[in-house]
Amino acid sequence: MHGSYGRFAAMIATSTAVMLGLMYLNTYALDHVFWSQTRFWMALVMGATMAIVMLAFMLHMYRNRMANAAIFMGAAVVLAGSLYMVRSQATVSDVSWMKAMIPHHSIAILTSERATLRDPRVRELAGEIIEAQRREIDEMKALIEDLESGGSGSGDQPGS
């Protein structure tokens, strides 16, 4: 049985898009979901890695050596480039940083609020984290609104 390279590409692309969406499932509230360049780059890291691993496991289905080499090399380039973007945060500026931080803070709220915490000191700490994260999310939302409307400190670059 020989595999279809088009189907392989569709499988990797679909899985990468699904992984991007899944990264938002642990946010506390729907209004805490914002586009995140970091999550996008991480989805590409995972998709490229998955392409390499899956093709390696299914080489018996994909017999075109040139196509396989191109897939391995292309996936390695996407993996390296995306990993660089995740680690460097090179494209992340004011607004895009806050849009990435809101879901991150939201995860802290979800975890702190829903965990089964028995020790009163730990529960107190969780309560402080919830309060701080909610305050910071509200502050970031206000700053995003101000900066996106051309407010006084507008310092974001296109691509947020």
Side-chain angles (χ1 to χ4, degrees):
M1 176 179 171
H2 294 281
S4 160
Y5 286 98
R7 181 175 285 195
F8 182 81
M11 181 173 51
I12 297 301
T14 301
S15 298
T16 301
V18 167
M19 285 186 281
L20 176 61
L22 290 174
M23 284 190 264
Y24 288 96
L25 287 180
N26 60 347
T27 54
Y28 179 74
L30 192 55
D31 69 323
H32 294 169
V33 174
F34 286 86
W35 172 255
S36 168
Q37 292 177 30
T38 301
R39 282 178 171 77
F40 173 74
W41 296 122
M42 273 309 300
L44 289 181
V45 165
M46 291 184 282
T49 302
M50 184 172 47
I52 292 167
V53 170
M54 288 179 69
L55 185 58
F57 271 95
M58 298 187 302
L59 273 176
H60 66 282
M61 294 172 57
Y62 299 93
R63 309 252 176 167
N64 183 327
R65 288 181 179 218
M66 293 296 285
N68 293 346
I71 291 169
F72 283 129
M73 301 255 301
V77 167
V78 170
L79 172 60
S82 299
L83 186 58
Y84 169 78
M85 296 306 285
V86 167
R87 300 293 303 168
S88 72
Q89 297 290 292
T91 62
V92 177
S93 54
D94 297 337
V95 171
S96 53
W97 175 78
M98 289 184 288
K99 286 182 176 182
M101 290 304 293
I102 289 173
H104 172 76
H105 279 41
S106 186
I107 293 166
I109 294 170
L110 178 81
T111 304
S112 298
E113 191 171 280
R114 300 208 175 140
T116 305
L117 306 175
R118 300 194 196 299
D119 188 290
R121 298 167 298 175
V122 176
R123 280 196 315 262
E124 181 181 349
L125 177 59
E128 292 169 3
I129 288 170
I130 291 167
E131 182 181 321
Q133 300 304 304
R134 284 187 172 143
R135 184 183 66 252
E136 290 173 8
I137 286 171
D138 290 343
E139 183 178 356
M140 286 186 280
K141 283 181 175 182
L143 280 167
I144 289 168
E145 188 176 325
D146 182 57
L147 291 171
E148 287 184 336
S149 68
S152 60
S154 185
D156 209 2
Q157 303 298 319
S160 323

